Every structure is written in C-alpha cells, then in structure tokens.
Amino acid sequence: MINRLRKNENLAAIPMTIGIIFDLLALFAFRTAYFSWLHRIIKAPYSFYPIGISFFTLSAIGTLIDAYKGKVKAEISFIRFALFIIFFPKIIMGPLLRYSTFSKIIDKRRLSLSGIGIGMTIFVKGFAKKVIAADNLYMLFQSVQAENAEDLSAATAWLGIIAYVFCLYFTLSGLADMGTGCAYCFGIRMPQSFNYPLLSPRIKYFAARWQSQVVQWFRRYITKPLYSICRRKIVREIIFVFGWALFGFWYTFELNGMICGSILGLFLIIEARLREKKIMELTGIFYTFLVVVLCAVFLSGDSPAYSGRYLLTMIGAYGNLADSQTFYLLKSYIVLILLAMYASTDLFRNLMLKSGKRKIKAAVTIVSPLIVVALLIICTALISYSGSSGILLMKL
C-alpha cells in the first residue's frame, strides 16, 4: 500500500503510520505489564513473550520507513519477507539488518563444506561464551545480588557488577555468534554484532562496537530525522541523549534502562567535547570501563533507588570496604574473571594477524579443530550436568 501511494506522501504516510503503531503495540504488549489483560485473553503462560520480538518489530518498522522513503521496493513475496523477519539464526540476538541488506546477503548465498566448517567454528565459539563464561559469571552476579545493597562490602559490589558486565557481554555476543555460525552453515554471511567493545580505549569505540546494527537503527530512524529539523547544537545534543535513552529503554522497557542509555549518551557528548585533550589509551580503557560499569549498575538494578544504593556501596559509603565474602568470591572466580577479560579483547586475533611466522599460523590451523571439538564436548557436558543453559539477562 505504501509503495502504491508513494506519489502522494500524505496518503502513503497513513499505512506507514498504521503499520508502525501496530508494531509498537505488539512490542509493548509483550515486553511490559500494561497489557496483562491481553495475555489473559490469549491464555498466555506467565512471563510469556515471543522470542526475538524486540528485533523483528524494529526490522518491520525500519522496512516500512524505507519503503515510504523509496529506499526499498515493496516485497511481493510473503515467504521472502517472512524469511527476513523470522530468519531463525538472527531472531534471538540479531544482527538487526535492513531489508535491502538482507536481500543482497540472500542473493549472494553460497554453500560449501569450508563454509560449514567456519560456521560450526563460530557457533562453538559462541556456545563456549554462553555456557562456560556467561553461565558461571552469572552465578557470581547472583550470589552478590542475593544480599541487600547496604549489607555488601564495596569490593564485593564491584565484583558483582563486573561479573554482570562480562556476563551480559558473553551472553549477548555468544548468542549472536551462534546465530552467525548457523547462518554461515547455510551459506549466509551476516555481519558481526559485537566487535570486542569491552576495554575499548574510548567510549565512542565502545558505543560503535556494542550491538552495532541496533545502535545504527536508532541513529538512522530516530536521531538523524530529528537532527534535520533542529540546527542548534544544544538541541541536537539533547536529541542525541534521547536516542541513547531509547536504546537503553529498548533493553529493559523500564526506567533503569532509560537512565543507563542517558548516562552513556551524556558521557559520549562529554568525551566529544574533550577530544582535543590527549589521553593515554590505557587511561582511556579505565575511564571507558568505569562508564560501562556505571551504566551496568542501572541496567542490572530493579529500580533507580536500588541502583543508587548500590553505587553508594561501591564507593564505600556504608563503611564496609571488604569482608570474608569478598575474599571467598575473589578466590573462587578470579581466574574466570581474568580469562573473561582476555577473551573479551582482540589481543589474540591481532597477534595472529601481525605474526609473520608461517609455522605459528600453521600450528594454530592444525590445533584449532581440536580446540573446537574440545570446547563442544565441555559445553555439552556442562549443559547435561546442569540440565540447561537458559540464563538470559535480557529477553529481547
């Protein structure tokens, strides 16, 4: 309908608006408690939500807007469009692709045995991130969250929130890798969603590398259109923070998520204003990670009040800097945390790229399949032992 009415923009805007409203209502209906009456009508079980609704609603909205602007032709084939919306490898954790991009990827699809091998390697890599790293870090986070914020020591609070940051990263990026790996096996090469964002030397690098397609979606369809009608710098900065607030809200559909996004947006503006000052990269890594931790305090909290109390605990406002729980948790998880820090960087990849020795690369090529098989066996054994690996910090 939008495509047929495009010559008259006012008429074309009607089906586009109706479609966007419908998609937003579907998103709010299953991610907030305001539509509990609808859940009762359809007799949905407790905490029911359609898997991937946060992604396929944004995909649908983006396609409607692109069709209205003439950037994409209306897809006549329902099957092809359904494949774009609910393609199973990307439905849980993206990437969030435009329809034009997805169509090109599908058209260039090439099946091969080497592609299946690469896909399985990427899949197992994501599998290990989720089962070995994320699930165990979640246990540390849960043990800290079980206590009242005021009763924790400062060091324990820091351990808990650092565990949350790495757990969230390895959960989201692990699922994204598993989806990318599955798609690779079908000859479909999707772009990366996460490009080693943690421990980035600048906040802007973190923001660009964390679930980059979703960030680009909010920039393309929210902030840029608003920029075009506002020329003043201060107004544009407010819009910029608003865009990041919506991004944070999209994660949780709660006030805490919006605060998290707003904090990130504010620090991005501060960093941009101070970009002329030279800061050592090591210093940049520290202040970027501190901002990420600050955002995580609100993203993980049940309410702004709880997150505020947790922050006070982290700076030692309650007078307890460390206790026996701190040393016990540190002794139990320090190796995992250090390995998680290393695995969240691209140090090994860069080392391999810069290494000019063919023998080293050949050795890695030979050993890699053995490592992949070992990781697959370990992950399968861990899931068999625990019964599942269903821990999801974000139901997207």
Side-chain angles (χ1 to χ4, degrees):
M1 289 176 67
I2 293 169
N3 194 53
R4 291 190 175 190
L5 298 172
R6 267 195 63 241
K7 291 181 180 179
N8 188 325
E9 290 188 359
N10 292 331
L11 282 176
I14 295 172
M16 180 191 70
T17 305
I18 292 171
I20 290 173
I21 291 172
F22 177 82
D23 289 326
L24 289 176
L25 283 175
L27 188 57
F28 276 84
F30 292 103
R31 291 212 60 192
T32 66
Y34 302 115
F35 289 81
S36 56
W37 54 270
L38 177 62
H39 294 201
R40 289 194 295 271
I41 291 173
I42 64 175
K43 296 181 179 180
Y46 177 72
S47 72
F48 168 81
Y49 74 101
I51 294 173
I53 190 168
S54 298
F55 286 95
F56 62 70
T57 47
L58 292 190
S59 297
I61 291 170
T63 305
L64 289 171
I65 296 171
D66 286 344
Y68 176 74
K69 291 182 176 180
K71 293 181 178 180
V72 63
K73 291 183 179 179
E75 178 56 66
I76 298 172
S77 170
F78 176 79
I79 298 297
R80 191 176 173 90
F81 186 73
L83 178 65
F84 162 64
I85 293 293
I86 56 173
F87 181 54
F88 80 92
K90 72 178 181 67
I91 197 168
I92 294 178
M93 206 51 64
L96 183 63
L97 302 173
R98 301 175 78 177
Y99 184 69
S100 56
T101 304
F102 186 79
S103 293
K104 291 176 183 177
I105 292 173
I106 291 294
D107 292 337
K108 292 179 180 178
R109 187 170 78 95
R110 294 291 183 273
L111 281 171
S112 66
L113 286 175
S114 61
I116 293 173
I118 293 169
M120 288 303 298
T121 301
I122 297 171
F123 177 87
V124 173
K125 175 186 171 185
F127 196 24
K129 282 183 179 181
K130 175 67 179 68
V131 177
I132 297 175
D135 287 1
N136 286 289
L137 287 166
Y138 182 78
M139 292 170 63
L140 170 56
F141 171 67
Q142 279 292 88
S143 64
V144 174
Q145 287 291 104
E147 304 287 337
N148 293 324
E150 298 91 336
D151 298 332
L152 294 170
S153 67
T156 302
W158 275 95
L159 275 175
I161 203 61
I162 288 172
Y164 176 84
V165 169
F166 284 106
C167 178
L168 180 63
Y169 167 70
F170 283 116
T171 299
L172 301 186
S173 67
L175 290 169
D177 284 348
M178 284 190 273
T180 302
C182 282
Y184 223 108
C185 292
F186 288 95
I188 298 170
R189 301 185 181 185
M190 297 192 296
Q192 280 187 320
S193 293
F194 295 84
N195 187 20
Y196 302 103
L198 296 183
L199 306 179
S200 296
R202 297 288 186 273
I203 302 171
K204 71 173 183 178
Y205 298 150
F206 168 82
R209 295 169 181 173
W210 181 276
Q211 210 146 31
S212 52
Q213 290 83 22
V214 180
V215 173
Q216 290 167 8
W217 190 98
F218 280 94
R219 186 180 299 151
R220 183 182 299 118
Y221 299 112
I222 304 294
T223 55
K224 278 191 175 181
L226 292 174
Y227 281 165
S228 62
I229 58 175
C230 302
R231 299 296 179 186
R232 293 182 61 186
K233 185 177 180 181
I234 184 67
V235 177
R236 286 193 165 197
E237 288 179 342
I238 291 170
I239 292 170
F240 181 79
V241 174
F242 172 70
W244 278 103
L246 284 181
F247 174 71
F249 181 72
W250 176 79
Y251 268 97
T252 62
F253 273 72
E254 293 176 355
L255 180 59
N256 265 31
M258 188 171 284
I259 294 172
C260 166
S262 301
I263 291 170
L264 187 57
L266 282 169
F267 274 100
L268 281 166
I269 290 172
I270 293 169
E271 184 183 70
R273 289 192 172 186
L274 298 175
R275 65 181 180 272
E276 294 179 1
K277 294 182 182 275
K278 293 182 179 179
I279 304 173
M280 291 174 62
E281 284 209 354
L282 188 61
T283 307
I285 290 172
F286 279 119
Y287 85 73
T288 300
F289 192 71
L290 285 175
V291 172
V292 172
V293 166
L294 177 61
C295 293
V297 170
F298 285 94
L299 195 65
S300 64
D302 297 328
S303 66
Y306 174 84
S307 297
R309 293 195 302 271
Y310 199 93
L311 280 173
L312 290 173
T313 301
M314 288 173 67
I315 61 175
Y318 299 110
N320 187 3
L321 298 179
D323 55 16
S324 58
Q325 184 186 21
T326 305
F327 295 106
Y328 173 76
L329 293 175
L330 195 60
K331 182 179 70 173
S332 302
Y333 290 96
I334 186 61
V335 174
L336 178 61
I337 291 172
L338 291 174
L339 287 174
M341 290 177 67
Y342 179 77
S344 63
T345 67
D346 57 355
L347 292 175
F348 181 76
R349 185 185 68 175
N350 290 341
L351 181 65
M352 290 306 302
L353 290 173
K354 292 177 182 179
S355 176
K357 295 182 179 180
R358 293 182 179 180
K359 290 183 178 179
I360 296 175
K361 291 183 178 180
V364 171
T365 303
I366 294 169
V367 173
S368 290
L370 300 176
I371 295 173
V372 169
V373 172
L375 285 174
L376 181 61
I377 293 170
I378 292 169
C379 292
T380 306
L382 288 172
I383 287 182
S384 300
Y385 177 75
S386 61
S388 70
S389 179
I391 299 164
L392 288 176
L393 295 174
M394 298 292 162
K395 294 183 177 180
L396 300 173

